């Protein structure tokens, strides 16, 4: 009797496993918003403004516009076929098992590193109210709470992220409203500064005009920090297998990205710099605290501290969810140990969740070594930004391969990416520019080298795994299927 062939389609189709579609439209919308509003907006925007001045508004607009195109690439692929549970699934399907292995483990590392820093941030901000409290106590409490919420059901995660995101949204809208009112009434600060829209261009720096006060180099420097604010924007791409109605929910969430960027980044920072000129802001403190303090809220620092903690908890909650699902999907396609295939009675990948939370507890060891919250945050921004950019590049590469191999599916798409290959060219120019910008600074240059080392290691492990006879057979069938689909695509385009 002949050996049973490896069924490539079975390998792809089972990526979603036994996950349940319990995330509703409102969950997906707020998860997407939460992903677009990173902790970097609250914690790092002061430093970004210090570097770029008012041109930071253009920085966030450019990054948001390009990442919208990246998310449209992802959206078209996820909506094109229900067999894709996460973006790692279509990367595996379209670019091959090796690419899926590297991206899966890279994305896992992205959120482990980011989540660890967020736990450190939460522990540090607890000291605002209880300065004598050992930081390991809130760290353990945070991880335990997030484990409990994620271990219940996927709906519990959705509800938690919904309310975490609501707090961030309310805080930003309140800031925009306060800043607008202060500009309208001509508010004068205790130091004599007047709130006026002209503050956005009337305070030149040493090397540039009012809008570009630190010249072109300062404008480019803003990208180094601002891009971290957008990590997690692709989070909605890990929810596809658990979304009730992905054909409607995912497009709606992705299409709202431009409005979110305009509202939560551009208008918020414009309000801040209209009330307090860019050169009067402290780069080491949150500009949100400064604006609410000027309003006369004596509890402004406590209020923003709570919002920052919520933002960090939201990011960490997202990391716990996405890494556990990514490990589960990788285990289903044999890129991770089989033990991570196990689901709880509530359809939660419990073993993957446990390992994720254990890794987050390494934050305790990092805090014991020393260093401030901002130092930990600065370190993680550079490493995480490069790794997330690699993931975004692989999403776009998958879209290009999708267009080459399955042109008919693209033409039938209900959520086709606008601009087609022109948009791909725009994304490519942006990525090349970001690599150049990150290479300029020694700290981010080190992060790039460390990230390249990680990618090389995972690629090497993937190559070693491919030498296993079973895995070699799978990869041979993937390659054969790719050749057949390319041949069919050429026939289709010739008609």
């Amino acid at each position: 009797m002949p050996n049973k062939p490896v069924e490539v389609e079975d390998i792809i189709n089972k990526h979603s496993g036994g996950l349940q579609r319990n995330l509703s439209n409102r969950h997906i919308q707020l998860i997407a918003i939460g992903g677009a509003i990173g902790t970097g907006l609250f914690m790092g925007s002061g430093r970004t403004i210090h570097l770029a001045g008012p041109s930071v508004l253009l920085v966030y607009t450019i990054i948001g516009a390009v990442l919208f195109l990246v998310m449209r690439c992802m959206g078209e692929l996820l909506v094109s076929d229900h067999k894709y549970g996460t973006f790692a699934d279509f990367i595996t399907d379209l670019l091959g098992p090796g690419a899926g292995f590297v991206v899966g483990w890279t994305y896992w590392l992205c959120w482990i590193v980011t989540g660890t820093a967020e736990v450190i941030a939460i522990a540090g901000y607890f000291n605002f109210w209880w300065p004598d409290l050992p930081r390991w106590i809130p760290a353990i409490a945070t991880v335990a709470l997030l484990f409990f919420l994620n271990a219940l059901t996927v709906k519990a995660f959705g509800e938690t992220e919904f309310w975490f995101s609501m707090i961030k949204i309310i805080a930003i809208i309140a800031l925009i409203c306060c800043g607008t009112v202060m500009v309208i009434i001509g508010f004068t600060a205790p130091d004599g500064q007047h709130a006026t829209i002209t503050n956005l261009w009337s305070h030149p720096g040493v090397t540039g005009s009012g809008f570009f006060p630190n010249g072109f180099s300062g404008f480019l420097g803003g990208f180094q920090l601002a891009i971290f604010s957008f990590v997690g924007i692709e989070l909605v791409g890990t929810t596809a297998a658990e979304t009730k109605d992905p054909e409607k929910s995912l497009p709606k969430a992705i299409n709202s990205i431009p409005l979110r960027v305009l509202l939560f980044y551009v208008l918020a920072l414009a309000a801040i710099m209209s009330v307090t000129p860019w050169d009067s802001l402290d780069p080491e403190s949150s500009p949100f605290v400064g604006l609410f303090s000027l309003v006369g809220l004596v509890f402004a620092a406590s209020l923003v501290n709570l919002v920052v903690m919520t933002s960090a908890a939201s990011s960490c909650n997202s990391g716990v969810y996405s890494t556990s699902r990514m490990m589960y999907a990788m285990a289903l396609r044999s890129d991770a140990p089989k033990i991570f295939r196990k689901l709880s009675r509530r359809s939660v990948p419990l073993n993957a969740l446990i390992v994720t939370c254990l890794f987050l507890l390494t934050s305790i060891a990092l805090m014991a070594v020393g260093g401030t919250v901002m130092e930990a945050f600065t370190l993680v921004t550079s490493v995480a930004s490069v790794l997330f950019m690699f993931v975004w590049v692989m999403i776009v590469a998958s879209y290009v391969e999708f267009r080459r191999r399955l042109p008919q599916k693209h033409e039938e798409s209900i959520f086709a990416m606008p601009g087609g290959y022109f948009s791909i060219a725009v994304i490519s120019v942006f990525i090349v520019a970001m690599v150049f910008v990150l290479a300029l600074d020694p700290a981010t240059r080190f992060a790039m080298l460390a990230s390249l080392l990680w990618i090389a290691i995972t690629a090497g492990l993937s190559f070693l795994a491919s030498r296993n006879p079973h895995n070699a057979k799978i990869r041979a069938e993937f390659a054969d299927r790719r050749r057949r689909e390319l041949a069919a695509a050429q026939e289709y385009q010739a008609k």
Side-chain angles (χ1 to χ4, degrees):
M1 184 175 179
N3 292 330
K4 182 182 178 181
V6 177
E7 294 292 343
V8 175
E9 287 301 321
D10 287 347
I11 294 170
I12 300 168
N13 287 330
K14 71 180 183 181
H15 287 184
S16 300
L19 299 178
Q20 302 298 310
R21 294 187 179 275
N22 289 328
L23 291 177
S24 66
N25 180 63
R26 71 182 181 90
H27 292 140
I28 295 301
Q29 302 312 314
L30 270 293
I31 287 170
I33 290 175
I37 309 173
T39 312
L41 176 62
F42 297 100
M43 292 180 66
S45 54
R47 294 176 62 231
T48 311
I49 292 172
H50 180 73
L51 273 174
S55 68
V56 73
L57 304 179
L58 189 56
V59 169
Y60 279 107
T61 300
I62 292 173
I63 297 175
V66 173
L67 290 185
F68 169 66
L69 295 177
V70 175
M71 293 304 99
R72 284 299 300 262
C73 288
M74 182 183 73
E76 179 173 346
L77 292 172
L78 288 174
V79 173
S80 71
D81 204 318
H82 277 184
K83 70 187 178 187
Y84 299 139
T86 71
F87 56 78
D89 293 343
F90 66 65
I91 289 174
T92 300
D93 187 18
L94 296 166
L95 300 183
F101 182 94
V102 174
V103 168
W105 282 110
T106 297
Y107 196 66
W108 173 84
L109 180 67
C110 285
W111 277 113
I112 290 295
V113 172
T114 304
T116 299
E118 303 292 9
V119 171
I120 293 173
I122 292 169
Y125 279 95
F126 258 98
N127 289 153
F128 178 85
W129 293 299
W130 298 285
D132 297 326
L133 182 70
R135 288 199 286 180
W136 61 267
I137 294 178
I140 292 178
T142 299
V143 174
L145 175 62
L146 294 179
F147 171 80
F148 173 74
L149 291 172
N150 279 269
L152 289 176
T153 61
V154 67
K155 191 173 182 179
F157 159 76
E159 286 294 332
T160 304
E161 195 60 25
F162 178 89
W163 291 108
F164 277 163
S165 297
M166 282 297 292
I167 292 173
K168 291 191 283 188
I169 292 169
I170 291 170
I172 294 173
I173 291 176
L175 178 137
I176 294 172
C177 292
C178 287
T180 302
V181 171
M182 293 167 81
V183 168
I184 291 173
I185 66 175
F187 175 83
T188 302
D191 62 358
Q193 296 279 7
H194 296 284
T196 171
I197 194 70
T198 60
N199 283 335
L200 294 177
W201 59 82
S202 60
H203 290 258
V206 177
T207 60
S209 63
F211 193 73
F212 294 92
N214 294 322
F216 190 63
S217 62
F219 173 67
L220 290 180
F223 284 91
Q224 294 175 340
L225 298 174
I227 199 165
F228 181 76
S229 299
F230 290 87
V231 301
I233 197 171
E234 75 299 316
L235 178 65
V236 71
T238 65
T239 65
E242 296 173 284
T243 303
K244 286 182 179 178
D245 193 359
E247 291 92 345
K248 293 182 180 179
S249 298
L250 292 179
K252 186 175 180 182
I254 291 171
N255 280 337
S256 62
I257 288 175
L259 180 61
R260 284 184 241 136
V261 171
L262 177 65
L263 177 63
F264 300 125
Y265 286 99
V266 178
L267 291 184
L269 295 182
I272 289 170
M273 290 183 290
S274 294
V275 173
T276 304
W278 73 271
D279 51 354
S280 298
L281 292 170
D282 182 3
E284 298 303 318
S285 64
S286 171
F288 285 73
V289 174
L291 190 142
F292 283 126
S293 297
L294 288 175
V295 174
L297 295 176
V298 294
F299 55 89
S302 292
L303 176 66
V304 176
N305 192 68
L306 176 63
V307 172
V308 171
M309 284 180 59
T310 302
S311 180
S314 172
S315 178
C316 196
N317 190 43
S318 299
V320 168
Y321 171 84
S322 59
T323 50
S324 61
R325 267 57 180 184
M326 194 62 70
M327 288 186 76
Y328 174 69
M330 288 192 294
L332 288 177
R333 58 178 183 265
S334 301
D335 285 345
K338 292 181 180 179
I339 191 173
F340 299 124
R341 295 179 183 179
K342 184 176 176 58
L343 291 177
S344 70
R345 287 179 298 176
R346 300 175 183 271
S347 299
V348 172
L350 196 59
N351 290 336
L353 182 61
I354 291 171
V355 169
T356 294
C357 290
L358 287 176
F359 268 96
L360 292 182
L361 290 177
T362 58
S363 56
I364 297 173
L366 291 174
M367 287 187 289
V369 172
T372 65
V373 171
M374 188 55 74
E375 285 174 350
F377 183 76
T378 302
L379 174 65
V380 77
T381 56
S382 56
V383 176
S385 296
V386 176
L387 290 175
F388 273 102
M389 280 176 58
F390 171 74
V391 173
W392 298 335
V393 167
M394 295 301 282
I395 290 173
V396 176
S398 299
Y399 173 80
V400 173
E401 184 68 5
F402 172 75
R403 290 283 302 267
R404 287 184 62 215
R405 282 166 55 182
L406 302 167
Q408 185 175 1
K409 264 196 171 184
H410 165 69
E411 291 177 9
E412 295 170 353
S413 176
I414 62 172
F415 192 52
M417 188 187 75
Y421 284 118
F422 175 77
S423 295
I424 297 299
V426 171
I427 296 170
S428 302
V429 170
F430 173 80
I431 293 297
V432 171
M434 286 303 95
V435 170
F436 172 75
V437 168
L438 292 172
L440 293 177
D441 185 84
T444 50
R445 193 184 310 132
F446 171 79
M448 287 181 64
L449 295 175
S451 301
L452 289 174
L453 178 61
W454 166 262
I455 293 168
I457 290 172
T458 52
L461 292 174
S462 175
F463 174 75
L464 291 175
S466 70
R467 304 190 70 175
N468 175 286
H470 178 73
N471 289 340
K473 193 171 184 179
I474 293 174
R475 293 181 186 227
E477 289 205 17
F478 266 94
D480 182 62
R481 185 167 64 92
R482 180 176 183 273
R483 284 192 294 270
R484 285 187 277 109
E485 288 181 346
L486 284 173
Q490 289 177 350
E491 290 181 9
Y492 174 78
Q493 291 172 338
K495 293 180 180 178

